[in-house]
Amino acid sequence: MSDTRDDRFGPGTYLTPDEAKEFHKLFVSSFILFTLVAIVAHFLAWMWRPWIPGPDGYAALQTGVDFASTAITSLMA
């Protein structure tokens, strides 16, 4: 019986140190990209509808919606 040892990490991982470094690099870059996309999405959602309303509550937003709908309908007519 031959005992062939390789340089795989721990039980059940099946990754060599080089494979683990490559996977880690891909994981970290994917996580950073996901985080940046999430930050941009949250910023755009905040610009569309702020989570903390102003002194008049969300009623102040209705003026902007009315203005936008009037502008859009006047362009279509």
Side-chain angles (χ1 to χ4, degrees):
M1 210 176 204
S2 69
D3 183 22
T4 58
R5 295 193 58 178
D6 56 11
D7 54 354
R8 307 239 180 228
F9 282 131
T13 59
Y14 307 110
L15 294 176
T16 64
D18 290 336
E19 291 170 338
K21 287 178 184 177
E22 184 177 346
F23 177 78
H24 183 261
K25 187 185 337 179
L26 179 66
F27 180 82
V28 168
S29 61
S30 299
F31 179 76
I32 290 172
L33 179 66
F34 175 81
T35 303
L36 291 175
V37 169
I39 288 170
V40 169
H42 279 81
F43 178 74
L44 292 174
W46 176 267
M47 296 301 293
W48 170 63
R49 178 160 296 177
W51 301 309
I52 303 171
D56 296 333
Y58 286 114
L61 294 175
Q62 190 60 37
T63 307
V65 171
D66 292 340
F67 176 75
S69 65
T70 304
I72 290 173
T73 54
S74 67
L75 290 175
M76 292 181 173

